[in-house]
Amino acid sequence: MRPGPGDAGAEQPADKLRALLHIARQLNAERDLSSLLHLIAREAARLLDAELASILLLDAARGELWSKVTLDADETLRFDANQGVAGEALRTGQIIRVDDVAREPRFFAGVDARTGFATRNLLAVPVRNLKGEIIGGFEVLNKRAGAFNEEDVEATRLLVAQASIAL
């Protein structure tokens, strides 16, 4: 039986794969770090139908995560690398999916307080360099419809792998 117009399309995974390949080509062509970070965040949010995505880079010397990719602000956001879901993803090396941050004790609300953004749900993925060392984290925030699912996790994993090569 073929899906009808109202059904979740069978081509959706293929569409995501095409989008990931397109993003990979763009990542490989971009050489400016700031532009690259914005490109990754913008395309990830679009691909996953989310409000925002951020790349958080690890400043190991200061024990902080920092990002310039937050609500397109010029200010650099810095916070303790041990805080929040992103910090937990870095410590464990695991992808963390949170369906409701209000029920998540690891969620660090300080970033929302500083930015004025209201996080509802998120995916946090550690970013590794070619040696396998964790160099930062990637967060996708607020799926527009529902919660993030396993397909979103896999798409994010693939995108982060491409982003880490470009970084």
Side-chain angles (χ1 to χ4, degrees), residues 26-166:
Q26 288 179 293
L27 292 177
N28 291 325
E30 185 57 61
R31 297 291 169 233
D32 176 67
L33 179 61
S34 180
S35 296
L36 181 64
L37 296 176
H38 278 51
L39 171 68
I40 294 166
R42 182 184 67 241
E43 292 300 320
R46 185 184 60 75
L47 177 68
L48 297 174
D49 194 28
E51 290 180 20
L52 182 68
S54 286
I55 298 172
L56 305 161
L57 298 177
L58 179 62
D59 181 342
R62 294 175 70 172
E64 292 179 333
L65 289 172
W66 66 272
S67 176
K68 281 193 170 277
V69 186
T70 305
L71 304 174
D72 291 327
D74 288 331
E75 127 183 45
T76 299
L77 177 67
R78 286 186 169 272
F79 61 95
D80 187 321
N82 292 314
Q83 290 183 305
V85 176
E88 181 75 9
L90 269 66
R91 278 191 303 285
T92 64
Q94 301 295 311
I95 294 173
I96 300 173
R97 182 176 71 194
V98 176
D99 293 335
D100 182 0
V101 299
R103 294 186 173 153
E104 176 55 62
R106 298 172 293 185
F107 179 69
F108 174 56
V111 173
D112 279 8
R114 271 186 66 191
T115 63
F117 189 76
T119 303
R120 295 185 314 274
N121 56 39
L122 65 87
L123 278 177
V125 181
V127 176
R128 297 175 187 273
N129 64 16
L130 295 176
K131 296 177 186 174
E133 302 162 331
I134 295 175
I135 59 169
F138 186 75
E139 284 190 329
V140 186
L141 309 172
N142 293 354
K143 178 91 170 168
R144 292 185 196 280
F148 293 103
N149 58 37
E150 285 303 315
E151 186 179 304
D152 295 326
V153 169
E154 187 57 29
T156 305
R157 184 187 331 263
L158 293 170
L159 183 58
V160 167
Q162 286 297 312
S164 67
I165 292 168

Side-chain angles (χ1 to χ4, degrees), residues 14-25:
D15 291 341
K16 280 194 176 181
L17 179 58
R18 279 192 289 280
L20 281 167
L21 291 171
H22 176 72
I23 292 167
R25 281 194 300 271

